[in-house]
């Protein structure tokens, strides 16, 4: 990835210089840099708001209620996680954040859940457990009912109806979740040919 991030600007500079378009390149760099800053600032508010809501929900006991409500699903997907434990609560909040489309807000919860899974399993190796893999898979292809971040991006870029993508998001995210969960469950049943060192 670092190579790509270096090669693309260098090639842009070379081709702009060769084509005599350095002025256009400079103008585009300044304009797009400003737009990037505006976009980040417009997203900060909504991400801070939902991150705060998640923190209040966690401290107000909503984690435990959600964990009880979703415990059959979490229990099925995460066989090694203790029901009602800290890891189950964090996984539940992570799934809730992803369902609300808060990818950035769910990251701290996902990292904390990974750490809690490792602590509960007592596994000291560098290898990921089946539960860690399932959590990573669910974060990658999460079911989204309200794609908040995507809608905020669309609104920031001038979309008249930022939430008109809802039916497509529901269909695609449901399909991806079913596919990846099924694949992960099947792959977890297959023993690795080469054991990790």
């Amino acid at each position: 990835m670092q190579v790509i991030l270096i090669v693309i600007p260098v090639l842009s500079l070379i081709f702009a210089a060769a084509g005599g378009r350095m002025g256009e390149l400079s103008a585009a760099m300044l304009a797009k840099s400003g737009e990037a800053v505006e976009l980040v600032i417009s997203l900060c508010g909504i991400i801070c708001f939902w991150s705060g809501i998640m923190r209040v929900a966690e401290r107000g006991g909503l984690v435990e209620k959600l964990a009880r409500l979703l415990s059959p699903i979490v229990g099925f997907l995460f066989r090694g996680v203790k029901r009602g434990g800290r890891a189950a609560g964090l996984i539940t909040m992570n799934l809730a954040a992803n369902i609300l489309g808060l990818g950035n807000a769910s990251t701290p919860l996902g990292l904390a859940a990974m750490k809690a899974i490792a602590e509960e399993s007592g596994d000291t190796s560098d290898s990921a457990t089946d539960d860690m893999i399932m959590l990573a898979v669910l974060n990658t292809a999460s079911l989204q009912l309200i794609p908040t971040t995507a809608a905020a991006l669309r609104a920031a870029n001038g979309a008249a109806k930022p939430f008109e993508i809802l039916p497509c998001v529901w269909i695609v995210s449901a399909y991806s979740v079913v596919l990846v969960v099924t694949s992960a469950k099947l792959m977890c049943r297959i023993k690795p040919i080469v054991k990790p060192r």
Side-chain angles (χ1 to χ4, degrees):
M1 190 65 163
Q2 291 175 351
V3 173
I4 293 171
L5 293 175
I6 292 169
V7 168
I8 290 175
V10 169
L11 286 176
S12 299
L13 287 170
I14 291 169
F15 284 110
R21 302 178 81 175
M22 286 299 286
E24 292 176 23
L25 178 66
S26 299
M29 284 174 26
L30 289 173
K32 294 303 174 186
S33 297
E35 287 178 22
V37 171
E38 288 175 17
L39 181 61
V40 168
I41 290 171
S42 69
L43 287 175
C44 277
I46 196 162
I47 289 171
C48 289
F49 171 75
W50 284 108
S51 295
I53 291 292
M54 290 298 165
R55 179 65 68 186
V56 168
E58 187 180 3
R59 291 192 178 176
L62 186 61
V63 174
E64 292 173 17
K65 290 177 183 174
L66 276 173
R68 269 186 253 121
L69 181 68
L70 295 175
S71 64
I73 296 168
V74 172
F76 170 73
L77 295 176
F78 301 91
R79 296 286 185 185
V81 172
K82 185 174 72 173
R83 290 196 180 205
R86 184 170 178 269
L90 288 167
I91 289 167
T92 303
M93 285 305 291
N94 177 261
L95 294 177
N98 278 319
I99 286 170
L100 293 172
L102 309 170
N104 295 329
S106 71
T107 301
L109 292 166
L111 293 172
M114 285 284 190
K115 188 175 178 184
I117 290 169
E119 288 171 1
E120 281 188 12
S121 68
D123 189 3
T124 57
S125 69
D126 290 338
S127 301
T129 64
D130 290 346
D131 292 324
M132 290 178 179
I133 293 168
M134 181 60 72
L135 183 61
V137 162
L138 284 173
N139 274 284
T140 305
S142 61
L143 182 64
Q144 291 191 5
L145 295 181
I146 307 169
T148 310
T149 304
L153 282 169
R154 285 173 50 82
N157 285 292
K161 298 177 182 175
F163 281 99
E164 71 181 353
I165 58 171
L166 283 180
C168 295
V169 169
W170 294 336
I171 293 165
V172 170
S173 64
Y175 174 76
S176 65
V177 165
V178 169
L179 186 66
V180 297
V181 166
T182 304
S183 299
K185 283 289 187 187
L186 289 173
M187 296 306 274
C188 286
R189 292 178 183 272
I190 301 170
K191 297 194 179 200
I193 297 168
V194 180
K195 290 187 178 179
R197 296 178 185 176

